[in-house]
Amino acid sequence: MWFIRDGCGIACAIVTWFLVLYAEFVVLFVMLIPSRDYVYSVINGLVFNLLAFLALASHCRAMLTDPGAVPKGNATKEFIESLQLKPGQVVYKCPKCCSIKPDRAHHCSVCKRCIRKMDHHCPWVNNCVGENNQKYFVLFTMYIALISLHALIMVGFHFLHCFEEDWTKCSSFSPPTTVILLILLCFEGLLFLIFTSVMFGTQVHSICTDETGIESLQRKKQQRRERRERRGSWKSVKETFGGDFSLNWFNPFSGPRHPKPLSNRDWVRQVSSVSDTENTETTTEEPSEEPKDEDFAEVVDE
Ligand SMILES: [Zn+2]
Ligand SMILES: [Zn+2]
């Protein structure tokens, strides 16, 4: 099973669960159960619990799914020879984990692995967001945004309702405790609504433009011209969420269609001009148009 042993990430993941459970507690025991409107309580309770369950399930799936790690230490002489590189073809070797980096893979210093289509490392899910778990991460941000919005609406109704009625009948807790619990929930809801909806928007945008967070940063930093050919946005969305549009897109238990294992072609990259490669006898830095981030790699050339 995939699990990153990173103290900070584990603490953040526990805090995330704690905050969802706190919201669950206030919604159920402060607002819904003491309410005398039975239908209102049952409907809102069901909706809130379903969304909270889906949010936590997505969180687990995002945390425990291998985001697309490249096999460690596969940059052996024998393996590179077996690829039978032609002139103009190179492979990039990660100096940190000694693996061959396929196109769009990046080294994550927290996971200590190269991750395919790495978007960023998210401490809140204690994992990298990459090719295989981006769907769960997007669902996690979406469901957290939805429960935050739902909780805020319910707090609003509760305040309206309780100002009209007697406060003591409004909750089984004392009025000061009730107000403090509700205000804390409001703060939490607002903070998370803003944070997760921005994240959700960014993720959907990056899937639609088929450009990961890292790639977009590199493009802005270097003002590189468009180099990589992008897939169409619909194709990219379908690949991330698994097939044609269906309810399964919103189901954290249904994985994206299992990515095919890398073939020999995926390891090899074409260098545009042959002159680039002529003076790279054994190992050099990456060609200048390649991303120069913390995981600069070596070129092995035949
Ligand atoms: Zn690496
Ligand atoms: Zn990572």
Side-chain angles (χ1 to χ4, degrees):
M1 193 178 69
W2 181 268
F3 182 74
I4 302 298
R5 287 185 191 81
D6 165 44
C8 165
I10 294 172
C12 286
I14 292 173
V15 167
T16 309
W17 273 70
F18 172 79
L19 288 171
V20 174
L21 294 179
Y22 171 77
E24 187 86 56
F25 166 77
V26 177
V27 166
L28 286 184
F29 293 97
V30 179
M31 294 199 284
L32 294 183
I33 291 177
S35 162
R36 274 160 298 160
D37 189 341
Y38 189 68
V39 180
Y40 173 86
S41 289
V42 168
I43 293 176
N44 278 297
L46 282 177
V47 171
F48 189 84
N49 276 294
L50 178 69
L51 291 176
F53 171 74
L54 289 170
L56 293 180
S58 309
H59 184 266
C60 281
R61 294 281 287 184
M63 181 165 63
L64 302 175
T65 304
D66 175 351
V70 177
K72 221 175 185 171
N74 67 351
T76 58
K77 217 168 175 238
E78 296 80 49
F79 184 67
I80 293 167
E81 272 165 16
S82 77
L83 292 174
Q84 296 178 320
L85 298 182
K86 294 177 185 68
Q89 286 184 334
V90 292
V91 292
Y92 293 116
K93 180 180 161 192
C94 172
K96 290 169 188 157
C97 62
C98 279
S99 58
I100 299 179
K101 276 196 203 176
D103 195 20
R104 306 186 76 185
H106 291 278
H107 186 86
C108 171
S109 49
V110 183
C111 300
K112 298 187 179 70
R113 294 287 290 267
C114 278
I115 309 288
R116 293 210 307 268
K117 247 182 101 186
M118 173 180 169
D119 190 88
H120 68 290
H121 185 92
C122 174
W124 298 104
V125 297
N126 185 33
N127 202 357
C128 261
V129 178
E131 187 173 76
N132 294 353
N133 68 346
Q134 192 170 28
K135 171 188 174 174
Y136 308 127
F137 182 73
V138 174
L139 289 183
F140 169 66
T141 57
M142 183 183 84
Y143 287 125
I144 292 289
L146 287 177
I147 55 171
S148 305
L149 184 67
H150 189 201
L152 285 173
I153 293 171
M154 280 191 287
V155 172
F157 272 115
H158 200 74
F159 268 117
L160 279 180
H161 174 73
C162 292
F163 276 125
E164 284 166 10
E165 285 208 25
D166 186 1
W167 264 99
T168 47
K169 285 183 199 152
C170 230
S171 155
S172 38
F173 294 89
S174 71
T177 316
T178 308
V179 172
I180 290 174
L181 288 173
L182 288 180
I183 286 179
L184 283 180
L185 180 65
C186 259
F187 268 120
E188 187 195 340
L190 267 179
L191 203 73
F192 274 76
L193 177 62
I194 295 169
F195 186 65
T196 52
S197 45
V198 167
M199 202 68 219
F200 176 76
T202 316
Q203 287 289 308
V204 170
H205 179 258
S206 92
I207 294 171
C208 289
T209 54
D210 195 18
E211 183 178 66
T212 66
I214 291 180
E215 287 161 357
S216 138
L217 276 179
Q218 285 169 341
R219 185 168 50 79
K220 281 177 193 142
K221 207 163 68 188
Q222 308 187 346
Q223 296 182 330
R224 271 192 298 151
R225 60 197 147 73
E226 298 276 316
R227 196 169 55 85
R228 190 168 51 77
E229 202 179 294
R230 294 184 187 176
R231 298 169 294 178
S233 56
W234 187 241
K235 190 164 177 255
S236 166
V237 173
K238 281 206 306 199
E239 250 164 55
T240 307
F241 285 92
D244 286 319
F245 180 79
S246 73
L247 267 185
N248 269 340
W249 278 23
F250 304 99
N251 178 2
F253 297 100
S254 136
R257 209 171 285 160
H258 217 74
K260 54 179 185 343
L262 292 178
S263 68
N264 278 4
R265 268 182 53 211
D266 296 313
W267 300 108
V268 178
R269 300 192 222 178
Q270 197 72 37
V271 173
S272 42
S273 84
V274 179
S275 64
D276 282 351
T277 64
E278 273 171 358
N279 46 15
T280 52
E281 278 294 295
T282 48
T283 54
T284 59
E285 287 182 11
E286 288 189 340
S288 56
E289 80 266 25
E290 272 300 312
K292 265 217 175 60
D293 48 350
E294 86 280 0
D295 53 359
F296 92 86
E298 302 166 358
V299 181
V300 183
D301 182 39
E302 251 197 22

